[in-house]
Every structure is written in structure tokens, then in C-alpha cells.
Amino acid sequence: MELLIIKERRIDYDGSAIRSHWAYRNFGILGDSLVVFRGKCNVKVEEMVDIEDLRLRKEIKGDDMVHYILELFWHPDILLASSLQKLLIARLVELLWNYGIEASRRGDDIYVNGRKLSISIATVSPVSIKIHIGLNVKTVGVPPGVDAIGLEELGIDPTEFMERSAKALVEEIEKVRKDSLKVRWVT
């Protein structure tokens, strides 16, 4: 799996990165990948994957977030994608605990003191599993009514967290992959 952490420039997330081969089209990364970057978030209606959010006309945006775009060319199964998404969210919660932050997972979101730190979606394309996770750096630009919290308010340096969390997520995915390869079928 290839990891790319982009620190030298900002990239805004509009939802289109959830399409297959985004990392290949934009960065020449062919195959399983995790691309991590910082930028705004403003998911366009035509790019919304979560039908519930679309039906409720929810706005998905923020002015400063860390984004994780994962693509795995495994069997494109939506149940597997959703399960991996929740595993990765749980791994991020564990990492926040290492910083002394009492974070918790509710479904596929991270909360700190009842305030929302993350957004996330998992889906499949005909060829891959796609997962997006976004963590607020600041809460500016978050839709009204969302009680949000950001990494900076928690005293966490976003650049250092990008590095540390990206490596932790890749390790988790590699462990899942390795563990799936070392067992035999039963009959």
C-alpha cells in the first residue's frame, strides 16, 4: 500500500476524491493507497454518497480539515468497506487517547466531550473500496447546528497528527491484509 502525505500545499475536498482511481489520476499512485492532505471541505450535492445526508439536505463542509482518502483494490463489498471505515475510526480514537484526549466513536464519527471531530463515508466502485475521513482542524465553516471541535482546540498539531495517524492507519490496513492471507479455508 502506498502512502502519500501532502504537507506542502492545501487541497480542498469536494467529494470527487471518493471516485475510483483518484490517487492514480492525480498523483500517479496505482493500486492500494492512502492520501492524506489538509484543506477545506465543501461536498457538492452531485458528489454526495450518503443518501441520508442528501435526503436531509445536510451540508458537509468546513474551512480547515485533515482529509484521508483510502482506496483498496480488494473485493468491492459495501459491508467490508463500512466495516473497515469503522475500524479506522476506532484506530483514530485510540490514537487520540494516546494524546490524552478522551475521544469516543459513535458509528463512523469521532466525538470529544460530545462535540463532533470527524466526518466519514465509505463506499465502493466497480473496482475498489473507497473511504474518506475528515477531521476538523478548526471549526470555522462548519454548518450551523453542528457542535464541532477541532484538533487545534485539542492542542494537537495537525501536521504532526497527519504523519502519525497516517502511519497508524496504514499499519492497521496492512495487518488486516496480512491476517487475511495467513489463514486456510475450512471444509
Side-chain angles (χ1 to χ4, degrees):
M1 160 175 265
E2 191 163 341
L3 170 62
L4 174 62
I5 303 170
I6 302 166
K7 295 181 278 189
E8 66 280 356
R9 65 183 171 107
R10 301 264 175 127
I11 300 172
D12 294 337
Y13 176 77
D14 64 3
S16 62
I18 204 74
R19 295 182 188 156
S20 64
H21 294 97
W22 177 80
Y24 186 40
R25 285 192 314 269
N26 289 278
F27 306 105
I29 301 171
L30 181 61
D32 295 346
S33 65
L34 177 63
V35 180
V36 183
F37 56 93
R38 186 172 171 181
K40 291 183 180 183
C41 175
N42 190 3
V43 178
K44 299 175 183 175
V45 171
E46 63 270 16
E47 299 293 349
M48 281 199 182
V49 174
D50 189 322
I51 298 168
E52 183 177 331
D53 288 346
L54 192 58
R55 288 180 44 115
L56 296 173
R57 300 188 192 309
K58 283 189 176 178
E59 291 183 296
I60 303 170
K61 60 184 186 177
D63 287 354
D64 193 359
M65 299 181 85
V66 171
H67 300 278
Y68 305 81
I69 304 294
L70 176 72
E71 184 163 27
L72 299 171
F73 290 88
W74 300 1
H75 178 72
D77 178 292
I78 192 63
L79 184 59
L80 176 58
S82 182
S83 299
L84 283 171
Q85 172 196 27
K86 287 162 184 58
L87 174 65
L88 297 179
I89 291 292
R91 184 65 186 99
L92 289 171
V93 167
E94 289 175 356
L95 187 57
L96 288 165
W97 275 88
N98 291 339
Y99 280 83
I101 306 297
E102 294 183 26
S104 62
R105 179 183 69 87
R106 288 190 217 156
D108 53 20
D109 286 316
I110 301 170
Y111 286 83
V112 178
N113 299 321
R115 297 169 65 194
K116 192 172 183 189
L117 178 65
S118 69
I119 60 171
S120 183
I121 193 68
T123 192
V124 294
S125 77
V127 295
S128 64
I129 290 170
K130 291 292 306 226
I131 297 172
H132 168 254
I133 299 170
L135 301 179
N136 295 318
V137 173
K138 301 175 184 174
T139 59
V140 178
V142 172
V146 176
D147 189 13
I149 195 165
L151 293 172
E152 285 187 351
E153 186 176 342
L154 296 170
I156 296 174
D157 175 77
T159 303
E160 188 270 334
F161 191 79
M162 287 169 66
E163 288 269 349
R164 195 166 169 197
S165 60
K167 290 174 183 170
L169 295 182
V170 168
E171 285 174 10
E172 195 73 33
I173 293 161
E174 293 291 346
K175 181 154 179 31
V176 167
R177 181 75 171 158
K178 181 180 177 189
D179 288 352
S180 74
L181 296 172
K182 68 179 186 175
V183 296
R184 66 176 181 84
W185 285 42
V186 293
T187 53

